[in-house]
Amino acid sequence: MNNSQPSPPKLFLGFFRWFCHPKMLDYIEGDLFEVYDRRLKELGKRKADWKFMLDVLLLFRPGIIRPRKPFQNLTPSGMYKSYFKIGWRTLLRNKEYALINVAGLALSITCCILIFVLVKHHLSFDDFHQNKDRIYRIVTEQHRDFIAYSSSVPSPLGEVFREEHTFGEQVSRVLEVWDVLITIHGQDELVKFKEPEGIAFTEPSFFDIFNFPMKKGNIETALINPNTAILTEQMAVKYFGEKDPIGETIWLENKIPFTITGVLEDFPENTDFKTEIFVSYVSMEDFNPWLASDTAWGGITGGMFAYTKLRPNVTPAEVEEALEPYVKKYRPDSKNVHHYKLQPLSDIHFNAQYGGAMDKGNLWGLGAIGLFLLLTACVNFVNLATAQALRRSKEVGVRKVLGSLRAQLFWQFIFETAIITCISILFAIIAAYLLIPTINNFFKSTIPLNLMIDGTVILFVLGLGILITMLAGFYPALVLTGFKPVSALKGKLSQQQLGGFNTRRSLIVIQFAISQVLIIGVLVIMNQMKFARQAEMGFDQEAIVMIESGADSLELMKTLKGEFLRIPGVEKVSLCYEAPASLEGWNNSIYFDQSTEEVNFLTNIKLADADYLSTFDLELVAGRNLTPSDTVREVLVNETLLKNLGITSPEEAMGKEVAANGGSMKGPIVGVIKDFHDQSFHQGIGPLLITTDGGNYYNFAIKLNSNSVKTTLDQVGAIWKENYPDKLFEYSFLDDNIAKFYETEETILAGIQIFSMIAIFIGCLGLYGLISFMISQKTKEVGIRKVMGGGVGHIIWIFGQEFVRLIVIAFLIAAPIGWWIMNQWLQDFEFKVSLDIWTFGLAIGSSIIIAALTVGYQVLRLAYINPVLSLKTE
């Protein structure tokens, strides 16, 4: 086979070469490669790999497997050969038992492998940087009436820290601007790209801190001059194809040109730096002069970061102590007291307070779920193995009479468990490989498909196999090898000798308890999500479209607003900075009623025209609406702001002046609006102010007639393209934007639903196997009871009462555990559902129904069988 062509999976190719008879190896391998090449051309690599793996598994059969002779070299007595042979025959003789165990273990191992690689992927974020233990991000704690946490800092802080202290070997400031428009002026057309990850105004020292190698250009000089930029390789290909990008120009928001001076190697997937366009920091003066100034200590802008690589032996505590005086020196009059802290690079991905992408608690939760699933499958195995003990008692008795030692029999049964575990692992690896793309899409991750090339994963799978073999096989092996030969051969074994019903009951209780905890979790999260979706937000969000325009010409925006209102399907239009509820916000300090001191809380300022209230159907509880204006003249406040000021009557606030943004925005209160949710239900309703300011309208909010949405949007788009030919027409529905508040919770819900179904399915497999065994043991008893006058209901109750009792016991264990876990989860919401009795009733009710459906058919079949037939079973 040509080495330059894609090759089949190495793991399965090696497995085939290991087991295949040497005389057949060349012929069969040649056929496998020939078929693989044909499938590669017809179906593509992924399907060809999958079919190759299936072919290898189908070839693992007598006649093709190597001859017996090699087994004899394992030990002088050929013991392992005997273990394997007997174990294999036992599985073939008890196909149903083997299938149930393999299915349960394979499912749980698949989940464990996927969870492990997901956790491993997240734990590896940004661990490839040199001297990573010395890299920190400077963050801000804002102390007022509460403590707020921000990953950003005032823009001058990085420069001051660099000039005044020698703690940092390197210091770099970065401003990330997301969701920007990038354009390229071609010869014939203007090519437009919307970049959600945006661009980063970056100081050159950034690349001395972080290990992002340059492929073309000089990393030392690439960003020194104004209006210069460097891109990753994939962005260069996206913009310029195969053309050399060096010297080409890109435009930011059609306003600021940047010349490409370098190309970076593509970033690894396991990094939190998603921006792939870096532009010179000195050009920030053209983009945001206030941020670029040395006096911008008045507030914090999202995306304004400062990173440092500390010198060896410098501790974070030393640096934080040195940063303490900055507050009094640069922000002496602010009641929003800043405390600047150092956040380790290893903490950035996980710390939710500072915007971390993955809370470590979620990773530990996933790990716990994987452990629960594994435990459930092992419980199945132990239950079924001990239930099978009577059938194998005579085999054990004969072996002991013939001289087998208990230790030999113990390892015989452990070896049987190992065979089942190995088969399960094989199926689990295939399933995990096929499911990784789905997992990546589900968790928005980028786990590579090289599962069995990663040494850590291989060690995990091997360790998992050994753990399962010992965990699931140890107790059944002790039970089976503990029989006395005489009792075993006579078939006179007590229930205690067969593993005991109490042991099996306990294991079933554990299974049901795990399943019910997961069911309670699903029900609570579903109720909370339903509450979040259906609860009144305090404003209209139906059929409202948000169209981002950027801070464009106010006159053009007004003209466009008028044209939109002439469209028949458009009911209302407002120009605004943002919607009433948004992931973004402008929190600012305010002065009230001519006071020279700031109030001790932050206020969310919303800038909008006079049609804002009618467009979103916001309710006035006192006063009037804003007078149309292009500048700040009047303000509206919400009820919470008045409560924070200690004002009990809205009328009392009328006419009082409010000043914000350092006093540059002033106006009297002319109205009080009813409180509405301006953030997700994770946060409470905070103080809020609405005023006019035409220079900061970034969005059109358009209320549509719900009967003609598509037609109306087409007309809106046509008008947009006529007026903004250099911008992309993009819109989003407000209710969809609000749904994004709960993306994490929806992902958790979907994940727990899947894992719950898997846990329930594994438990049902165990119940099915156990009831099959119980029926085989009680067939004659049921026949006698029917002859003596026992009815169908009585027979059903004999079996049903046992499982109902166990489910109730499991519920008594699961209910307090589930209550505590979900109560802790709900603490993250300011507005939440209560944990009512119906949630727990539904959990136990669903468990009983699931158990009844699992065992019902077999019990009914036994209950209706002719007693003459059942009495002939022995």
Side-chain angles (χ1 to χ4, degrees):
M1 188 174 180
N2 189 346
N3 291 331
S4 63
Q5 294 180 351
S7 59
K10 294 180 180 179
L11 178 68
F12 283 83
L13 181 58
F15 176 58
F16 166 74
R17 289 171 175 170
W18 173 76
F19 75 71
C20 186
H21 194 297
K23 292 183 179 179
M24 301 181 183
L25 180 62
D26 291 339
Y27 301 106
I28 299 177
E29 184 175 316
D31 291 341
L32 281 173
F33 278 133
E34 185 178 339
V35 173
Y36 179 79
D37 285 340
R38 186 173 70 249
R39 287 173 176 163
L40 191 65
K41 294 175 183 175
E42 295 174 357
L43 305 174
K45 178 164 174 54
R46 183 166 176 165
K47 289 187 177 179
D49 284 351
W50 161 243
K51 290 185 178 293
F52 180 87
M53 291 187 285
L54 189 60
D55 288 343
V56 169
L57 294 177
L58 292 174
L59 287 170
F60 187 67
R61 63 177 185 264
I64 296 178
I65 296 176
R66 286 177 180 269
R68 298 179 177 182
K69 187 175 180 181
F71 284 95
Q72 296 172 356
N73 295 326
L74 292 173
T75 64
S77 63
M79 187 180 296
Y80 294 139
K81 164 191 166 182
S82 175
Y83 287 168
F84 180 81
K85 185 191 299 182
I86 294 169
W88 187 255
R89 287 175 179 173
T90 302
L91 296 181
L92 292 178
R93 190 166 59 248
N94 299 285
K95 292 185 179 67
E96 186 178 36
Y97 163 79
L99 182 62
I100 289 172
N101 278 320
V102 167
L105 284 174
L107 265 175
S108 62
I109 295 170
T110 301
C111 292
C112 286
I113 291 173
L114 291 174
I115 289 171
F116 176 79
V117 295
L118 182 66
V119 171
K120 176 180 175 293
H121 173 68
H122 282 285
L123 291 177
S124 71
F125 263 64
D126 286 304
D127 67 349
F128 53 87
H129 300 289
Q130 296 173 0
N131 301 309
K132 60 188 179 212
D133 58 323
R134 293 198 280 129
I135 298 175
Y136 293 84
R137 179 172 67 180
I138 305 176
V139 296
T140 307
E141 285 183 9
Q142 302 178 75
H143 292 242
R144 300 186 73 107
D145 54 332
F146 62 93
I147 299 177
Y149 300 88
S150 174
S151 58
S152 301
V153 292
S155 57
L157 186 143
E159 178 64 19
V160 172
F161 177 68
R162 179 166 41 216
E163 294 296 326
E164 295 187 359
H165 303 285
T166 59
F167 296 121
E169 187 176 292
Q170 296 289 345
V171 180
S172 177
R173 293 179 292 175
V174 177
L175 173 66
E176 293 187 14
V177 185
W178 303 288
D179 203 27
V180 300
L181 177 68
I182 299 293
T183 54
I184 298 171
H185 295 228
Q187 293 181 348
D188 302 321
E189 61 177 341
L190 184 69
V191 185
K192 295 169 278 188
F193 300 92
K194 196 62 176 282
E195 297 296 347
E197 303 298 344
I199 67 164
F201 290 88
T202 310
E203 292 184 323
S205 54
F206 177 85
F207 296 99
D208 294 322
I209 298 174
F210 297 102
N211 184 32
F212 294 124
M214 184 80 91
K215 189 166 185 177
K216 292 182 180 179
N218 186 340
I219 196 71
E220 301 295 332
T221 60
L223 294 179
I224 290 179
N225 296 322
N227 300 95
T228 52
I230 55 178
L231 316 170
T232 61
E233 189 175 6
Q234 69 176 8
M235 294 301 289
V237 171
K238 175 181 176 180
Y239 291 158
F240 306 107
E242 298 302 319
K243 185 179 179 182
D244 185 359
I246 303 297
E248 298 293 331
T249 302
I250 60 173
W251 290 74
L252 172 62
E253 301 291 352
N254 290 308
K255 295 176 181 177
I256 309 174
F258 292 96
T259 302
I260 309 301
T261 55
V263 177
L264 295 165
E265 293 181 9
D266 287 335
F267 289 179
E269 299 292 352
N270 57 333
T271 179
D272 281 310
F273 295 98
K274 302 303 181 185
T275 302
E276 298 184 75
I277 308 171
F278 297 86
V279 300
S280 49
Y281 190 85
V282 291
S283 301
M284 196 166 73
E285 189 171 351
D286 297 330
F287 180 78
N288 190 322
W290 179 77
L291 268 182
S293 70
D294 295 332
T295 59
W297 288 92
I300 294 176
T301 299
M304 186 68 239
F305 304 121
Y307 299 96
T308 181
K309 179 162 70 176
L310 299 182
R311 297 185 185 278
N313 302 320
V314 174
T315 65
E318 291 179 77
V319 178
E320 289 174 358
E321 186 179 354
L323 292 173
E324 281 183 15
Y326 283 21
V327 179
K328 292 183 179 179
K329 184 176 181 180
Y330 297 105
R331 298 171 54 85
D333 300 324
S334 177
K335 288 190 176 181
N336 181 11
V337 181
H338 286 187
H339 292 256
Y340 303 115
K341 305 291 182 180
L342 262 60
Q343 182 186 21
L345 178 64
S346 59
D347 186 61
I348 290 176
H349 186 68
F350 303 106
N351 195 326
Q353 286 183 325
Y354 295 111
M358 174 60 73
D359 193 322
K360 272 192 176 177
N362 292 336
L363 293 182
W364 304 140
L366 282 173
I369 288 173
L371 185 61
F372 285 161
L373 294 177
L374 188 62
L375 183 61
T376 302
C378 289
V379 165
N380 259 5
F381 190 98
V382 173
N383 259 337
L384 295 176
T386 53
Q388 295 280 334
L390 184 60
R391 294 182 182 178
R392 304 197 63 180
S393 60
K394 290 186 179 181
E395 174 195 338
V396 173
V398 170
R399 286 177 176 277
K400 284 194 171 185
V401 168
L402 292 174
S404 292
L405 300 175
R406 184 173 185 181
Q408 292 173 322
L409 291 173
F410 176 84
W411 288 109
Q412 155 82 56
F413 293 120
I414 289 291
F415 206 88
E416 289 180 14
T417 306
I419 293 173
I420 292 176
T421 303
C422 289
I423 295 171
S424 303
I425 286 176
L426 194 60
F427 282 115
I429 290 171
I430 296 171
Y433 181 83
L434 296 174
L435 288 172
I436 279 180
T438 305
I439 293 296
N440 281 336
N441 183 57
F442 184 74
F443 287 102
K444 296 181 174 60
S445 57
T446 49
I447 301 170
L449 292 173
N450 57 346
L451 271 185
M452 300 316 294
I453 298 176
D454 190 324
T456 310
V457 177
I458 293 172
L459 288 175
F460 172 77
V461 172
L462 291 175
L464 194 62
I466 295 170
L467 176 66
I468 292 170
T469 300
M470 299 310 297
L471 192 65
F474 186 81
Y475 179 73
L478 283 180
V479 170
L480 288 165
T481 58
F483 299 154
K484 293 180 179 180
V486 176
S487 301
L489 290 171
K490 287 182 177 181
K492 295 180 178 179
L493 296 170
S494 66
Q495 282 296 335
Q496 192 61 35
Q497 288 174 305
L498 292 171
F501 267 130
N502 286 337
T503 302
R504 284 195 286 278
R505 286 189 184 110
S506 300
L507 295 175
I508 289 173
V509 166
I510 291 172
Q511 279 187 315
F512 274 116
I514 291 172
S515 298
Q516 288 183 27
V517 168
L518 291 172
I519 290 171
I520 290 169
V522 168
L523 293 174
V524 173
I525 297 175
M526 285 178 63
N527 288 341
Q528 179 63 25
M529 291 301 96
K530 182 179 178 181
F531 172 70
R533 286 191 295 264
Q534 296 181 358
E536 284 293 328
M537 295 286 289
F539 58 88
D540 185 12
Q541 54 182 299
E542 297 299 321
I544 292 182
V545 170
M546 303 299 296
I547 304 176
E548 185 179 350
S549 64
D552 215 320
S553 162
L554 180 60
E555 292 306 316
L556 179 57
M557 293 178 73
K558 285 183 176 180
T559 302
L560 210 56
K561 175 181 176 180
E563 293 191 36
F564 289 156
L565 285 169
R566 283 195 286 271
I567 299 173
V570 173
E571 296 181 355
K572 295 167 186 174
V573 181
S574 173
L575 302 176
C576 57
Y577 178 71
E578 61 186 10
S582 171
L583 290 170
E584 299 178 357
W586 181 23
N587 290 306
N588 204 279
S589 299
I590 65 169
Y591 300 86
F592 179 69
D593 195 22
Q594 306 295 331
S595 173
T596 57
E597 290 190 9
E598 297 176 348
V599 298
N600 63 347
F601 56 85
L602 291 175
T603 300
N604 186 1
I605 298 178
K606 294 191 177 292
L607 307 173
D609 65 12
D611 294 318
Y612 193 73
L613 266 62
S614 61
T615 301
F616 293 103
D617 197 21
L618 295 171
E619 182 180 343
L620 272 171
V621 295
R624 59 172 175 82
N625 191 13
L626 297 169
T627 302
S629 173
D630 296 340
T631 58
V632 179
R633 292 178 57 188
E634 303 167 337
V635 299
L636 302 175
V637 298
N638 70 346
E639 295 170 306
T640 297
L641 188 142
L642 297 187
K643 290 176 187 175
N644 285 12
L645 292 171
I647 298 174
T648 56
S649 169
E651 287 74 16
E652 184 184 341
M654 294 301 160
K656 298 290 179 67
E657 186 179 80
V658 174
N661 199 29
S664 63
M665 303 171 67
K666 294 181 182 178
I669 298 174
V670 296
V672 178
I673 52 177
K674 187 175 181 179
D675 279 345
F676 60 86
H677 292 277
D678 59 329
Q679 300 177 82
S680 76
F681 282 8
H682 288 284
Q683 291 85 28
I685 297 175
L688 182 141
L689 176 154
I690 302 175
T691 187
T692 53
D693 184 4
N696 286 292
Y697 296 157
Y698 284 79
N699 286 279
F700 290 89
I702 305 177
K703 172 70 175 176
L704 305 178
N705 186 317
S706 57
N707 295 322
S708 57
V709 172
K710 187 179 184 307
T711 306
T712 305
L713 282 175
D714 289 340
Q715 293 175 280
V716 169
I719 293 173
W720 178 275
K721 290 170 185 176
E722 287 178 13
N723 289 272
Y724 289 120
D726 55 347
K727 291 187 178 183
L728 291 170
F729 175 63
E730 293 184 322
Y731 62 86
S732 60
F733 286 94
L734 179 57
D735 51 0
D736 291 339
N737 294 344
I738 292 173
K740 291 178 182 177
F741 290 171
Y742 310 104
E743 277 185 337
T744 301
E745 287 77 15
E746 293 287 359
T747 300
I748 292 172
L749 173 61
I752 293 182
Q753 284 175 327
I754 292 170
F755 291 131
S756 299
M757 287 188 288
I758 292 172
I760 292 167
F761 179 72
I762 293 172
C764 289
L765 287 176
L767 275 182
Y768 180 84
L770 198 57
I771 197 67
S772 299
F773 173 75
M774 290 175 64
I775 286 173
S776 69
Q777 295 296 102
K778 290 179 177 285
T779 300
K780 188 174 182 180
E781 177 190 332
V782 170
I784 293 172
R785 287 180 180 275
K786 293 192 74 173
V787 169
M788 298 299 292
V792 171
H794 177 67
I795 303 300
I796 293 172
W797 180 242
I798 290 173
F799 292 94
Q801 66 177 342
E802 177 74 16
F803 291 107
V804 171
R805 187 184 303 119
L806 297 179
I807 289 172
V808 171
I809 294 171
F811 175 75
L812 294 176
I813 297 171
I817 296 173
W819 178 88
W820 184 83
I821 292 173
M822 297 319 299
N823 187 58
Q824 293 299 309
W825 182 79
L826 285 172
Q827 295 309 307
D828 194 37
F829 290 87
E830 287 291 330
F831 300 91
K832 51 184 174 283
V833 295
S834 58
L835 293 171
D836 55 43
I837 192 171
W838 297 108
T839 299
F840 297 91
L842 191 55
I844 188 172
S846 60
S847 297
I848 292 173
I849 292 170
I850 290 166
L853 292 174
T854 303
V855 305
Y857 172 72
Q858 294 189 80
V859 173
L860 286 173
R861 189 177 64 174
L862 179 64
Y864 281 103
I865 196 171
N866 190 327
V868 175
L869 297 175
S870 61
L871 290 172
K872 287 182 179 179
T873 57
E874 292 190 10

